[in-house]
């Protein structure tokens, strides 16, 4: 009995298996048919024979019309033209001004104006990818009846970041829409759709970049390239107040206080000014609303005064010429931020974008960093006289030079230049003294450094009598240094009537030990 029951159960299971298995096979077959249909649809406009590397176009090609596009990694070729078949490229960023590029004589020009050529690299990139429209691979077809669950919004194409319309010389046109990005195997790709089908493609970052430039990035940028050796004066106002002027070999501050400056600090500032770079050109000031860029009320204004100079050289006929060039003033205004890393600015008559990385130094300027940190910085070979006054006693040192005579009676000369070598003669109140003693004392004087910064700058008021005063005259400059005792420990140091720092009383003992 039990055996019969078991046999009947076995037969029932076997009949059920024979019913289910064909159903499963039919489902699988239909699934394969669906997959093949979608695949055939996606690749129907693709040439799958051009799959190569992921390196993009050779931007160093000498002739853009000779660029070998077969080395571009593609599976889908949509348009394959030569760059000289381009007529125009229209680009519309989602949140910026649209612009038209016209192709003429091998170059693209903004608004068809031959006076507005594009940056060389940008010109090459747009020509290359506008004439050879291609994709890495198709990813979806929004026009397929089986794509109910796939929409443009899934790829950022419901509100494209950039739209481009390319027109060719024979009248053919194609529109490109770019959506969101995706990273795959360490490479960045973007979704793209054309107006020719519902297929959505993946395109390379290089391809996307060619159509993602904003209008202001099109124009070549002319950076100042100032000759810093001709800068005579720099006036900075606004958020930073600092004026400095070159005077016969030395730099002095004019504001916020009148004070001598450290050569090394000024040289550093001049070097930064000489390397000013602008990242993008916006336009000429007369064509723009400066208020839109924060330039009607700039955060910082800079006037750079250039000295007269003589330009010499040879013309095309190898004839020597010498021309006087008058000095001029360059104006720089810094407006509002363009983004987190750059800002708008106006240099002379044009508006640009500059980055904080290259041009942010203006905001870091602190006049105190430039002020002379030691009261005496005039070298001995420039001295004409040194006067020292303390306790109503004045001592004057004068200098003269005499050829150095060797033991054999000959005048010593420099071995390399052949020029005479001179000895320094020092006279104290008219009497010749030891040169070495004076040089040792003056060396200690130039080695003095301030002990600290005053809470605010001071001017030498009437009624305040300095305990020690120096008047140092050089070939082109005169500097007066007054030390006024403020308390038992410190002296305020006035240079040409202005004090910014103080010095400890222990440091000035050397000053009273005159040679």
């Amino acid at each position: 009995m039990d055996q019969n029951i078991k046999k009947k159960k076995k037969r029932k299971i076997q009949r059920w298996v024979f019913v289910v298995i064909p159903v499963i096979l039919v489902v699988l077959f239909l699934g394969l048919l669906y997959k093949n249909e979608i695949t055939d649809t996606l690749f129907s406009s693709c040439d799958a024979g051009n799959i190569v590397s992921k390196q993009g176009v050779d931007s160093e090609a000498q002739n853009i019309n000779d660029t070998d596009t077969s080395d571009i990694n593609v599976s889908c070729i949509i348009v394959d033209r030569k760059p000289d078949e381009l007529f125009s490229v229209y680009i519309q960023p989602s949140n910026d001004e649209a612009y038209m590029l016209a192709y003429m004589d091998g170059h693209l020009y903004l608004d068809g104006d031959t006076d507005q050529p594009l940056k060389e690299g940008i010109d090459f990139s747009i020509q290359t990818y506008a004439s050879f429209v291609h994709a890495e691979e198709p990813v979806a077809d929004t026009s397929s009846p089986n794509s109910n669950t796939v929409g443009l919004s899934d790829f950022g194409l419901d509100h494209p970041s950039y739209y481009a319309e390319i027109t060719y010389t024979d009248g053919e046109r194609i529109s490109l829409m770019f959506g969101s990005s995706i990273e795959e195997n360490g490479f960045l790709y973007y979704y793209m759709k054309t107006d020719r089908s519902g297929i959505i493609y993946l395109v390379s970052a290089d391809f996307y970049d060619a159509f993602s430039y904003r209008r202001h990035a099109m124009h070549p940028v002319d950076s100042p390239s100032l000759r810093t050796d001709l800068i005579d004066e720099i006036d900075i106002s606004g958020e930073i107040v600092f004026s400095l002027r070159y005077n016969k070999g030395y730099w002095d501050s004019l504001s916020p206080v009148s004070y001598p400056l450290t050569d090394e600090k000024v040289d550093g500032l001049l070097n930064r000014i000489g390397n000013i770079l602008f990242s993008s050109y916006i336009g000429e000031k007369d064509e723009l609303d400066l208020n839109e860029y924060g330039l009607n009320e700039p955060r910082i204004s800079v006037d750079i005064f250039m000295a007269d100079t003589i330009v010499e050289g040879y013309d095309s006929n190898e004839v020597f010429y010498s021309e006087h060039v008058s000095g001029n003033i360059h104006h720089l205004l810094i407006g509002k931020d363009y983004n987190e890393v750059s800002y708008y600015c106006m240099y002379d008559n044009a508006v640009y974008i500059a980055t904080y990385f290259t041009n942010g130094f203006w905001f870091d300027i602190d006049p105190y960093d430039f002020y002379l940190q030691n009261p005496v910085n005039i070298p001995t070979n420039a001295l004409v006289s040194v006067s020292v006054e303390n306790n109503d006693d004045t001592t004057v040192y004068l200098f003269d030079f005499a050829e150095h005579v060797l033991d054999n009676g000959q005048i010593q000369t420099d071995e390399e230049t052949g020029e005479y070598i001179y000895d320094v003669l020092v006279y104290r109140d008219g009497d010749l003294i030891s040169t070495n003693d004076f040089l040792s004392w003056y060396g200690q004087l130039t080695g003095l450094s301030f002990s600290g910064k005053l809470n605010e700058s001071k001017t030498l008021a009437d009624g305040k009598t300095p305990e020690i005063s120096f008047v140092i005259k050089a070939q082109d400059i005169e500097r007066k240094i007054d030390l006024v005792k403020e308390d038992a420990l410190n002296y305020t140091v006035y240079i040409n009537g202005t004090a910014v720092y103080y010095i400890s009383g222990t440091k000035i003992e050397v000053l009273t030990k005159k040679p």
Side-chain angles (χ1 to χ4, degrees):
M1 182 70 178
D2 292 338
Q3 290 180 349
N4 291 332
I5 292 175
K6 288 181 180 179
K7 288 180 180 179
K8 288 181 180 178
K9 285 183 177 180
K10 186 175 182 180
R11 290 192 190 101
K12 286 184 180 180
I13 293 172
Q14 289 173 340
R15 286 197 297 269
W16 177 81
V17 169
F18 283 120
V19 172
V20 171
I21 288 178
V23 173
I24 293 174
L25 291 175
V26 169
V27 172
L28 290 175
F29 177 73
L30 291 176
L32 288 172
L33 286 178
Y34 172 77
K35 181 178 184 295
N36 288 335
E37 178 186 352
I38 294 301
T39 303
D40 290 343
T41 300
L42 291 179
F43 283 90
S44 61
S45 61
C46 296
D47 180 356
N50 289 320
I51 301 177
V52 282
S53 64
K54 287 192 176 181
Q55 300 306 315
V57 176
D58 177 12
S59 62
E60 301 298 324
Q62 297 300 312
N63 187 335
I64 190 168
N65 284 293
D66 295 334
T67 301
D68 183 7
T69 54
S70 66
D71 287 338
I72 304 177
N73 174 31
V74 298
S75 60
C76 305
I77 296 176
I78 302 168
V79 174
D80 190 1
R81 298 273 196 145
K82 289 293 185 182
D84 56 12
E85 295 180 69
L86 287 171
F87 179 76
S88 66
V89 180
Y90 172 84
I91 297 177
Q92 171 66 71
S94 60
N95 296 310
D96 207 345
E97 182 181 1
Y99 56 90
M100 177 72 77
L101 304 173
Y103 182 89
M104 290 180 286
D105 300 324
H107 296 283
L108 289 168
Y109 294 93
L110 189 61
D111 301 325
D113 184 354
T114 54
D115 291 330
Q116 295 194 65
L118 306 191
K119 292 180 181 178
E120 184 176 351
I122 295 177
D123 190 4
F124 187 97
S125 177
I126 296 177
Q127 284 194 51
T128 299
Y129 291 113
S131 59
F132 185 54
V133 180
H134 61 275
E136 306 292 322
E137 61 178 303
V139 295
D141 186 352
T142 57
S143 64
S144 170
N146 300 308
S147 62
N148 296 332
T149 59
V150 177
L152 294 178
S153 60
D154 296 316
F155 306 94
L157 289 164
D158 51 336
H159 299 289
S161 57
Y162 285 88
Y163 168 87
E165 183 177 286
I166 307 166
T167 304
Y168 303 94
T169 52
D170 61 0
E172 181 187 3
R173 291 188 180 185
I174 185 170
S175 297
L176 313 177
M177 293 175 289
F178 296 92
S180 54
S181 63
I182 181 174
E183 187 173 337
E184 185 177 296
N185 298 325
F187 291 91
L188 187 64
Y189 299 94
Y190 290 84
Y191 294 113
M192 182 193 77
K193 181 184 176 300
T194 74
D195 60 344
R196 297 187 174 183
S197 72
I199 298 176
I200 295 172
Y201 304 92
L202 276 184
V203 297
S204 68
D206 288 339
F207 188 94
Y208 170 84
D209 288 345
F211 302 98
S212 64
Y213 294 103
R214 296 182 183 272
R215 179 186 177 90
H216 62 70
M218 298 284 104
H219 199 287
V221 179
D222 297 322
S223 296
S225 298
L226 294 175
R227 279 191 57 183
T228 57
D229 59 318
L230 296 179
I231 296 178
D232 260 354
E233 184 176 333
I234 304 169
D235 291 338
I236 307 171
S237 58
E239 293 182 7
I240 305 294
V241 176
F242 188 34
S243 294
L244 52 158
R245 178 184 295 168
Y246 184 73
N247 181 29
K248 297 179 180 180
Y250 298 88
W251 281 90
D252 292 314
S253 167
L254 305 178
S255 66
V257 298
S258 176
Y259 207 77
L261 302 177
T262 303
D263 290 339
E264 291 78 9
K265 290 292 186 179
V266 176
D267 288 343
L269 175 61
L270 294 175
N271 183 61
R272 299 297 296 271
I273 292 174
N275 289 292
I276 288 177
L277 296 173
F278 302 128
S279 58
S280 298
Y281 169 87
I282 300 296
E284 299 301 306
K285 70 172 185 179
D286 295 335
E287 303 170 354
L288 303 170
D289 178 6
L290 297 184
N291 190 56
E292 181 180 344
Y293 306 96
L295 293 168
N296 278 337
E297 296 181 2
R299 291 184 287 168
I300 294 178
S301 300
V302 183
D303 291 334
I304 302 172
F305 295 78
M306 309 296 292
D308 294 358
T309 189
I310 302 294
V311 176
E312 297 178 341
Y314 291 88
D315 60 20
S316 57
N317 297 318
E318 297 300 320
V319 177
F320 178 80
Y321 67 88
S322 179
E323 180 182 356
H324 176 266
V325 178
S326 299
N328 59 340
I329 306 174
H330 294 288
H331 306 283
L332 175 67
L333 305 179
I334 298 178
K336 65 183 183 182
D337 283 343
Y338 170 67
N339 55 29
E340 292 182 354
V341 297
S342 55
Y343 58 79
Y344 294 108
C345 64
M346 184 170 75
Y347 180 75
D348 290 343
N349 296 315
V351 177
Y352 301 90
I353 292 176
T355 67
Y356 281 103
F357 180 74
T358 57
N359 292 353
F361 65 90
W362 296 108
F363 295 91
D364 298 327
I365 291 176
D366 183 349
Y368 276 97
D369 293 338
F370 290 78
Y371 294 152
L372 191 66
Q373 299 297 306
N374 52 314
V376 181
N377 71 329
I378 299 175
T380 54
N381 60 0
L383 292 175
V384 173
S385 67
V386 175
S387 299
V388 184
E389 180 179 350
N390 70 310
N391 298 325
D392 298 325
D393 177 53
T394 302
T395 302
V396 179
Y397 297 92
L398 297 176
F399 309 93
D400 198 0
F401 299 90
E403 296 92 347
H404 183 78
V405 180
L406 299 172
D407 294 338
N408 60 9
Q410 292 184 348
I411 298 175
Q412 185 178 5
T413 58
D414 185 274
E415 293 182 358
E416 294 182 1
T417 64
E419 296 178 350
Y420 289 144
I421 293 179
Y422 291 86
D423 291 329
V424 179
L425 304 179
V426 183
Y427 296 87
R428 171 177 169 163
D429 298 331
D431 296 327
L432 185 65
I433 65 171
S434 168
T435 300
N436 289 335
D437 288 348
F438 176 83
L439 293 179
S440 176
W441 174 79
Y442 190 77
Q444 295 179 72
L445 193 62
T446 57
L448 285 174
S449 60
F450 295 116
S451 301
K453 183 174 69 175
L454 300 174
N455 292 330
E456 58 182 0
S457 61
K458 299 179 179 180
T459 56
L460 190 58
D462 294 336
K464 282 198 172 183
T465 304
E467 286 204 9
I468 305 175
S469 297
F470 296 86
V471 177
I472 302 174
K473 294 182 180 180
Q475 295 170 352
D476 297 311
I477 192 172
E478 180 176 319
R479 184 169 294 164
K480 190 171 190 297
I481 303 169
D482 296 299
L483 284 80
V484 176
K485 193 169 187 177
E486 295 294 338
D487 54 44
L489 300 175
N490 300 305
Y491 289 78
T492 302
V493 183
Y494 294 84
I495 300 181
N496 294 339
T498 302
V500 177
Y501 301 97
Y502 66 88
I503 193 170
S504 169
T506 57
K507 290 186 176 184
I508 67 170
E509 293 179 1
V510 62
L511 306 182
T512 60
K513 299 177 181 179
K514 298 176 291 186

CSV table of all heavy atoms in Angstrom, one decimal, residues 297-334:
chain,number,residue,atom,x,y,z
A,297,GLU,N,32.2,100.3,-7.3
A,297,GLU,CA,32.7,100.5,-5.9
A,297,GLU,C,33.6,99.4,-5.6
A,297,GLU,O,33.3,98.4,-4.9
A,297,GLU,CB,31.5,100.6,-4.9
A,297,GLU,CG,30.6,101.7,-5.1
A,297,GLU,CD,29.5,101.8,-4.1
A,297,GLU,OE1,29.5,100.9,-3.2
A,297,GLU,OE2,28.6,102.7,-4.2
A,298,PRO,N,34.8,99.4,-6.2
A,298,PRO,CA,35.8,98.3,-6.0
A,298,PRO,C,36.2,98.1,-4.6
A,298,PRO,O,36.3,99.0,-3.8
A,298,PRO,CB,36.9,98.7,-6.9
A,298,PRO,CG,36.9,100.2,-7.0
A,298,PRO,CD,35.4,100.5,-6.9
A,299,ARG,N,36.5,96.8,-4.3
A,299,ARG,CA,37.1,96.5,-3.0
A,299,ARG,C,38.5,97.1,-2.8
A,299,ARG,O,38.8,97.5,-1.7
A,299,ARG,CB,37.1,95.0,-2.8
A,299,ARG,CG,35.7,94.4,-2.6
A,299,ARG,CD,35.8,92.9,-2.3
A,299,ARG,NE,36.2,92.1,-3.5
A,299,ARG,CZ,36.6,90.8,-3.4
A,299,ARG,NH1,36.6,90.2,-2.2
A,299,ARG,NH2,37.0,90.2,-4.5
A,300,ILE,N,39.3,97.0,-3.9
A,300,ILE,CA,40.6,97.5,-3.8
A,300,ILE,C,40.9,98.2,-5.1
A,300,ILE,O,40.5,97.7,-6.2
A,300,ILE,CB,41.7,96.4,-3.6
A,300,ILE,CG1,41.5,95.7,-2.3
A,300,ILE,CG2,43.1,96.9,-3.8
A,300,ILE,CD1,42.5,94.6,-2.0
A,301,SER,N,41.5,99.4,-5.1
A,301,SER,CA,42.0,100.1,-6.2
A,301,SER,C,43.5,100.3,-6.2
A,301,SER,O,44.1,100.5,-5.1
A,301,SER,CB,41.3,101.5,-6.3
A,301,SER,OG,39.9,101.4,-6.3
A,302,VAL,N,44.1,100.1,-7.3
A,302,VAL,CA,45.6,100.1,-7.4
A,302,VAL,C,46.0,101.0,-8.6
A,302,VAL,O,45.5,100.8,-9.7
A,302,VAL,CB,46.2,98.7,-7.6
A,302,VAL,CG1,47.8,98.9,-7.5
A,302,VAL,CG2,45.8,97.8,-6.5
A,303,ASP,N,46.8,102.0,-8.3
A,303,ASP,CA,47.5,102.8,-9.4
A,303,ASP,C,48.9,102.5,-9.4
A,303,ASP,O,49.6,102.6,-8.3
A,303,ASP,CB,47.2,104.3,-9.1
A,303,ASP,CG,45.8,104.7,-9.3
A,303,ASP,OD1,45.1,104.0,-10.0
A,303,ASP,OD2,45.4,105.7,-8.7
A,304,ILE,N,49.4,102.1,-10.5
A,304,ILE,CA,50.9,101.8,-10.7
A,304,ILE,C,51.5,102.8,-11.6
A,304,ILE,O,51.1,102.9,-12.8
A,304,ILE,CB,51.0,100.4,-11.3
A,304,ILE,CG1,50.3,99.3,-10.4
A,304,ILE,CG2,52.5,100.0,-11.4
A,304,ILE,CD1,50.2,97.9,-10.9
A,305,PHE,N,52.4,103.6,-11.1
A,305,PHE,CA,53.1,104.6,-11.9
A,305,PHE,C,54.4,104.1,-12.5
A,305,PHE,O,55.3,103.6,-11.8
A,305,PHE,CB,53.4,105.8,-10.9
A,305,PHE,CG,52.2,106.5,-10.4
A,305,PHE,CD1,51.5,105.9,-9.3
A,305,PHE,CD2,51.7,107.7,-10.9
A,305,PHE,CE1,50.3,106.5,-8.8
A,305,PHE,CE2,50.6,108.3,-10.4
A,305,PHE,CZ,49.9,107.7,-9.3
A,306,MET,N,54.5,104.3,-13.8
A,306,MET,CA,55.7,103.9,-14.5
A,306,MET,C,56.6,105.1,-14.9
A,306,MET,O,56.1,106.1,-15.2
A,306,MET,CB,55.3,103.1,-15.8
A,306,MET,CG,54.3,102.0,-15.6
A,306,MET,SD,54.9,100.6,-14.6
A,306,MET,CE,56.2,100.0,-15.6
A,307,ALA,N,57.9,104.9,-14.8
A,307,ALA,CA,58.8,106.0,-15.0
A,307,ALA,C,59.1,106.1,-16.5
A,307,ALA,O,58.8,105.2,-17.3
A,307,ALA,CB,60.1,105.7,-14.3
A,308,ASP,N,59.6,107.3,-16.9
A,308,ASP,CA,60.1,107.4,-18.3
A,308,ASP,C,61.2,106.4,-18.6
A,308,ASP,O,61.9,106.0,-17.6
A,308,ASP,CB,60.6,108.9,-18.5
A,308,ASP,CG,59.5,109.9,-18.4
A,308,ASP,OD1,58.3,109.5,-18.2
A,308,ASP,OD2,59.8,111.1,-18.6
A,309,THR,N,61.4,106.1,-19.8
A,309,THR,CA,62.5,105.2,-20.2
A,309,THR,C,62.9,105.5,-21.6
A,309,THR,O,62.3,106.2,-22.3
A,309,THR,CB,62.1,103.7,-20.0
A,309,THR,OG1,63.2,102.9,-20.1
A,309,THR,CG2,61.0,103.3,-21.0
A,310,ILE,N,64.1,104.9,-21.9
A,310,ILE,CA,64.6,105.0,-23.3
A,310,ILE,C,64.6,103.6,-23.9
A,310,ILE,O,65.1,102.6,-23.3
A,310,ILE,CB,66.0,105.5,-23.3
A,310,ILE,CG1,66.1,106.9,-22.7
A,310,ILE,CG2,66.6,105.6,-24.7
A,310,ILE,CD1,65.4,108.0,-23.4
A,311,VAL,N,64.0,103.4,-25.0
A,311,VAL,CA,63.9,102.1,-25.7
A,311,VAL,C,64.9,102.2,-26.9
A,311,VAL,O,64.8,103.1,-27.7
A,311,VAL,CB,62.5,101.8,-26.2
A,311,VAL,CG1,62.5,100.5,-27.0
A,311,VAL,CG2,61.5,101.8,-25.1
A,312,GLU,N,65.8,101.2,-26.9
A,312,GLU,CA,66.8,101.2,-27.9
A,312,GLU,C,66.8,99.8,-28.6
A,312,GLU,O,66.3,98.8,-28.1
A,312,GLU,CB,68.2,101.4,-27.3
A,312,GLU,CG,68.4,102.7,-26.6
A,312,GLU,CD,69.8,102.9,-26.0
A,312,GLU,OE1,70.4,101.8,-25.8
A,312,GLU,OE2,70.2,104.0,-25.8
A,313,GLY,N,67.2,99.8,-29.9
A,313,GLY,CA,67.2,98.6,-30.6
A,313,GLY,C,67.5,98.8,-32.1
A,313,GLY,O,68.0,99.9,-32.4
A,314,TYR,N,67.3,97.9,-32.9
A,314,TYR,CA,67.5,97.9,-34.3
A,314,TYR,C,66.2,97.7,-35.1
A,314,TYR,O,65.5,96.8,-34.8
A,314,TYR,CB,68.6,96.9,-34.8
A,314,TYR,CG,70.0,97.2,-34.2
A,314,TYR,CD1,70.4,96.8,-32.9
A,314,TYR,CD2,70.9,98.0,-34.9
A,314,TYR,CE1,71.6,97.1,-32.4
A,314,TYR,CE2,72.1,98.3,-34.4
A,314,TYR,CZ,72.5,97.8,-33.1
A,314,TYR,OH,73.7,98.1,-32.6
A,315,ASP,N,66.0,98.5,-36.1
A,315,ASP,CA,64.8,98.3,-36.9
A,315,ASP,C,65.0,97.2,-38.0
A,315,ASP,O,66.1,96.5,-38.0
A,315,ASP,CB,64.4,99.6,-37.6
A,315,ASP,CG,65.5,100.2,-38.6
A,315,ASP,OD1,66.3,99.4,-39.0
A,315,ASP,OD2,65.4,101.4,-38.9
A,316,SER,N,64.0,97.0,-38.9
A,316,SER,CA,64.1,95.9,-39.8
A,316,SER,C,65.3,96.1,-40.8
A,316,SER,O,65.7,95.1,-41.4
A,316,SER,CB,62.8,95.8,-40.6
A,316,SER,OG,62.5,97.1,-41.2
A,317,ASN,N,65.8,97.3,-40.9
A,317,ASN,CA,66.9,97.6,-41.8
A,317,ASN,C,68.2,97.6,-41.1
A,317,ASN,O,69.2,98.0,-41.6
A,317,ASN,CB,66.7,98.9,-42.5
A,317,ASN,CG,65.5,98.9,-43.4
A,317,ASN,OD1,65.2,97.9,-44.1
A,317,ASN,ND2,64.7,100.0,-43.4
A,318,GLU,N,68.2,97.0,-39.8
A,318,GLU,CA,69.4,97.0,-39.0
A,318,GLU,C,70.0,98.3,-38.7
A,318,GLU,O,71.2,98.5,-38.4
A,318,GLU,CB,70.5,96.1,-39.7
A,318,GLU,CG,70.1,94.6,-39.9
A,318,GLU,CD,69.8,93.9,-38.6
A,318,GLU,OE1,70.5,94.1,-37.6
A,318,GLU,OE2,68.8,93.2,-38.6
A,319,VAL,N,69.1,99.3,-38.6
A,319,VAL,CA,69.5,100.7,-38.2
A,319,VAL,C,69.2,100.9,-36.8
A,319,VAL,O,68.1,100.6,-36.3
A,319,VAL,CB,68.8,101.7,-39.1
A,319,VAL,CG1,69.2,103.2,-38.6
A,319,VAL,CG2,69.1,101.6,-40.6
A,320,PHE,N,70.2,101.3,-36.0
A,320,PHE,CA,70.0,101.5,-34.6
A,320,PHE,C,69.1,102.7,-34.3
A,320,PHE,O,69.1,103.7,-35.0
A,320,PHE,CB,71.3,101.8,-33.9
A,320,PHE,CG,71.2,102.0,-32.4
A,320,PHE,CD1,71.1,101.0,-31.5
A,320,PHE,CD2,71.3,103.4,-31.9
A,320,PHE,CE1,71.0,101.2,-30.1
A,320,PHE,CE2,71.2,103.6,-30.6
A,320,PHE,CZ,71.1,102.5,-29.7
A,321,TYR,N,68.2,102.5,-33.3
A,321,TYR,CA,67.3,103.6,-32.9
A,321,TYR,C,67.3,103.7,-31.4
A,321,TYR,O,67.5,102.8,-30.7
A,321,TYR,CB,65.9,103.4,-33.5
A,321,TYR,CG,65.1,102.3,-32.9
A,321,TYR,CD1,64.4,102.4,-31.7
A,321,TYR,CD2,65.2,101.0,-33.5
A,321,TYR,CE1,63.7,101.4,-31.2
A,321,TYR,CE2,64.5,100.0,-32.9
A,321,TYR,CZ,63.7,100.1,-31.8
A,321,TYR,OH,63.0,99.1,-31.2
A,322,SER,N,67.0,104.9,-30.9
A,322,SER,CA,66.8,105.2,-29.5
A,322,SER,C,65.6,106.1,-29.3
A,322,SER,O,65.5,107.2,-29.9
A,322,SER,CB,68.0,105.9,-28.9
A,322,SER,OG,67.9,106.2,-27.6
A,323,GLU,N,64.6,105.6,-28.6
A,323,GLU,CA,63.3,106.4,-28.5
A,323,GLU,C,63.0,106.6,-27.0
A,323,GLU,O,63.0,105.7,-26.2
A,323,GLU,CB,62.2,105.5,-29.2
A,323,GLU,CG,60.9,106.2,-29.1
A,323,GLU,CD,59.8,105.3,-29.8
A,323,GLU,OE1,60.2,104.2,-30.3
A,323,GLU,OE2,58.6,105.7,-29.8
A,324,HIS,N,62.6,107.8,-26.7
A,324,HIS,CA,62.1,108.2,-25.4
A,324,HIS,C,60.6,107.8,-25.2
A,324,HIS,O,59.8,108.1,-26.1
A,324,HIS,CB,62.3,109.7,-25.1
A,324,HIS,CG,61.7,110.1,-23.8
A,324,HIS,ND1,60.4,110.6,-23.6
A,324,HIS,CD2,62.3,110.1,-22.5
A,324,HIS,CE1,60.2,110.8,-22.3
A,324,HIS,NE2,61.3,110.6,-21.7
A,325,VAL,N,60.3,107.0,-24.2
A,325,VAL,CA,59.0,106.6,-23.9
A,325,VAL,C,58.5,107.2,-22.6
A,325,VAL,O,59.2,107.0,-21.5
A,325,VAL,CB,58.8,105.1,-23.8
A,325,VAL,CG1,57.4,104.7,-23.4
A,325,VAL,CG2,59.3,104.4,-25.1
A,326,SER,N,57.5,108.0,-22.6
A,326,SER,CA,57.0,108.7,-21.4
A,326,SER,C,56.4,107.8,-20.4
A,326,SER,O,55.8,106.7,-20.8
A,326,SER,CB,56.0,109.8,-21.8
A,326,SER,OG,56.6,110.8,-22.7
A,327,GLY,N,56.5,108.1,-19.2
A,327,GLY,CA,55.9,107.3,-18.1
A,327,GLY,C,54.4,107.3,-18.2
A,327,GLY,O,53.8,108.3,-18.8
A,328,ASN,N,53.7,106.3,-17.6
A,328,ASN,CA,52.2,106.3,-17.6
A,328,ASN,C,51.7,105.7,-16.3
A,328,ASN,O,52.5,105.3,-15.5
A,328,ASN,CB,51.7,105.6,-18.9
A,328,ASN,CG,52.2,104.1,-18.9
A,328,ASN,OD1,53.2,103.8,-18.3
A,328,ASN,ND2,51.5,103.3,-19.7
A,329,ILE,N,50.4,105.6,-16.2
A,329,ILE,CA,49.8,105.0,-15.0
A,329,ILE,C,48.9,103.9,-15.4
A,329,ILE,O,48.1,104.1,-16.3
A,329,ILE,CB,49.0,106.1,-14.2
A,329,ILE,CG1,49.9,107.3,-13.9
A,329,ILE,CG2,48.4,105.5,-12.9
A,329,ILE,CD1,49.1,108.4,-13.3
A,330,HIS,N,49.0,102.8,-14.8
A,330,HIS,CA,48.1,101.6,-15.0
A,330,HIS,C,47.2,101.5,-13.8
A,330,HIS,O,47.6,101.7,-12.7
A,330,HIS,CB,48.9,100.3,-15.1
A,330,HIS,CG,49.8,100.2,-16.3
A,330,HIS,ND1,49.3,100.1,-17.6
A,330,HIS,CD2,51.1,100.3,-16.5
A,330,HIS,CE1,50.3,100.1,-18.5
A,330,HIS,NE2,51.4,100.2,-17.8
A,331,HIS,N,45.9,101.3,-14.1
A,331,HIS,CA,44.9,101.2,-13.1
A,331,HIS,C,44.3,99.8,-13.0
A,331,HIS,O,44.0,99.2,-14.0
A,331,HIS,CB,43.7,102.2,-13.4
A,331,HIS,CG,44.2,103.6,-13.7
A,331,HIS,ND1,44.5,104.5,-12.7
A,331,HIS,CD2,44.4,104.3,-14.8
A,331,HIS,CE1,44.9,105.6,-13.2
A,331,HIS,NE2,44.8,105.5,-14.5
A,332,LEU,N,44.2,99.3,-11.7
A,332,LEU,CA,43.7,98.0,-11.4
A,332,LEU,C,42.6,98.2,-10.4
A,332,LEU,O,42.8,98.7,-9.3
A,332,LEU,CB,44.7,97.1,-10.9
A,332,LEU,CG,44.3,95.7,-10.5
A,332,LEU,CD1,43.7,94.9,-11.7
A,332,LEU,CD2,45.4,94.9,-9.8
A,333,LEU,N,41.4,97.7,-10.7
A,333,LEU,CA,40.2,97.7,-9.8
A,333,LEU,C,39.8,96.2,-9.5
A,333,LEU,O,39.7,95.4,-10.4
A,333,LEU,CB,39.0,98.4,-10.4
A,333,LEU,CG,39.3,99.9,-10.8
A,333,LEU,CD1,38.0,100.4,-11.4
A,333,LEU,CD2,39.8,100.7,-9.7
A,334,ILE,N,39.6,95.9,-8.3
A,334,ILE,CA,39.2,94.6,-7.9
A,334,ILE,C,37.7,94.6,-7.4
A,334,ILE,O,37.4,95.3,-6.4
A,334,ILE,CB,40.1,94.0,-6.8
A,334,ILE,CG1,41.5,93.9,-7.3
A,334,ILE,CG2,39.6,92.6,-6.3
A,334,ILE,CD1,42.5,93.4,-6.3
